[in-house]
Amino acid sequence: MALRQRIAHLRGPVGSLTRTAPSSPLIHARYHRPVQVSLTQALRPCTRHASTKSSTEPSGVILAGAPDITNYYTIFAKTIPSGPPPASPFNIPTADLKREFLQLQGLVHPDKYPNGVEKQHAEGLSARINEAYRTLIDPLQRAQYILREWHGIDVTAEDAATKHALDPETLMEVMEVQETIEEVGATAEGEGQINALKKENEVRVLECVESLSKAFESGELEAARKECIRLRFWYSVGEGLREWEPGNTEIRLMHTS
């Protein structure tokens, strides 16, 4: 399918990025209205996400060395003492984060406790620390978390297709990548060209993360929202390229949750 025809097809009611991913939110014209917040509000999680207890965390139980689980940033108080941006940089020292993660898991590991409420609480804490680490170590997951918890912007919601569209320029780039894959996928040189596309996409991801970092640190929420959406699609392109096999002329471009 020609690029112009493909883009025209994507602007139809399905709103998908590829025929195999009809639910992928892509090109609806209406954007999510920017949320205006003060600096004080920006540093406080939304009330609806502020609850830190889960069904696996019995109330009234306090484990020695347990972190403050108000939010993912307070869990890693040594590595990120000032909380989310703009109070601290968007980028996090991953080595320090991993070191603190291992220390915390060592303190609250469920195997240290006998069966009972303490063990149940330790299991809940361990699971929350794991979730926090997986979220903060990844730039996309971290950005989505900050937007959702501190600014009420959920780019992964079910109605994201109508609220968070991909900008036309990035859409064109994404479609060009897919066109290239369809053209070279069945050729003898396909693998080499796919590898080149992988490297190009890695550069796009790095550039997007850098732009996202600047947007968060300067308090430009609308710019951060747009960059987060772009990063979601470049992640998707990267995943599709990694799954490519010789002879495959099409990749699935799905939103990353």
Side-chain angles (χ1 to χ4, degrees):
M1 182 183 294
L3 181 58
R4 181 175 299 176
Q5 292 175 314
R6 184 180 296 277
I7 293 175
H9 168 69
L10 291 174
R11 293 186 180 278
V14 175
S16 97
L17 212 154
T18 175
R19 293 184 296 274
T20 56
S23 63
S24 182
L26 184 68
I27 48 163
H28 292 266
R30 185 159 60 87
Y31 278 78
H32 183 65
R33 186 175 181 180
V35 179
Q36 300 297 324
V37 295
S38 65
L39 180 60
T40 301
Q41 291 172 315
L43 297 177
R44 182 173 63 247
C46 298
T47 302
R48 64 188 178 90
H49 294 289
S51 175
T52 60
K53 291 187 178 297
S54 72
S55 59
T56 60
E57 298 176 1
S59 60
V61 178
I62 300 177
L63 302 182
D68 177 358
I69 59 173
T70 300
N71 60 65
Y72 292 169
Y73 276 82
T74 58
I75 289 176
F76 298 99
K78 292 181 181 179
T79 304
I80 329 166
S82 299
S88 63
F90 173 73
N91 291 325
I92 296 174
T94 56
D96 293 344
L97 188 69
K98 183 177 182 179
R99 185 180 304 110
E100 187 171 5
F101 164 71
L102 294 175
Q103 291 172 348
L104 290 173
Q105 287 292 18
L107 288 171
V108 303
H109 199 285
D111 290 347
K112 294 175 60 177
Y113 303 92
N115 292 333
V117 292
E118 284 190 326
K119 188 178 189 68
Q120 292 176 14
H121 190 57
E123 289 172 348
L125 278 173
S126 179
R128 185 167 177 82
I129 293 169
N130 271 328
E131 182 180 1
Y133 177 74
R134 288 196 305 268
T135 298
L136 295 181
I137 200 71
D138 180 77
L140 175 59
Q141 298 293 329
R142 189 190 320 143
Q144 292 175 165
Y145 176 72
I146 294 170
L147 287 173
R148 182 180 67 251
E149 298 294 319
W150 276 270
H151 307 295
I153 303 173
D154 189 354
V155 299
T156 68
E158 291 183 0
D159 61 350
T162 60
K163 289 184 176 181
H164 306 293
L166 186 66
D167 65 275
E169 182 179 352
T170 305
L171 169 61
M172 179 66 73
E173 288 186 77
V174 171
M175 295 313 305
E176 286 177 351
V177 171
Q178 189 169 18
E179 287 286 322
T180 301
I181 292 170
E182 292 182 356
E183 291 172 0
V184 306
T187 67
E189 299 80 14
E191 186 171 359
Q193 295 186 51
I194 292 296
N195 288 334
L197 287 175
K198 288 179 181 179
K199 293 180 180 179
E200 291 175 5
N201 196 68
E202 289 171 0
V203 172
R204 293 190 191 98
V205 167
L206 291 174
E207 292 175 345
C208 197
V209 170
E210 179 64 24
S211 297
L212 189 59
S213 175
K214 292 178 180 178
F216 272 124
E217 291 167 20
S218 62
E220 299 176 13
L221 292 184
E222 178 61 6
R225 183 190 69 84
K226 290 181 178 180
E227 289 298 331
C228 186
I229 295 168
R230 294 181 69 237
L231 185 59
R232 281 167 61 81
F233 276 95
W234 291 133
Y235 264 51
S236 179
V237 168
E239 182 178 351
L241 288 169
R242 285 192 297 273
E243 294 178 351
W244 178 88
E245 296 178 352
N248 183 9
T249 60
E250 186 174 49
I251 62 170
R252 297 180 62 184
L253 301 180
M254 301 286 287
H255 249 325
T256 306
S257 61

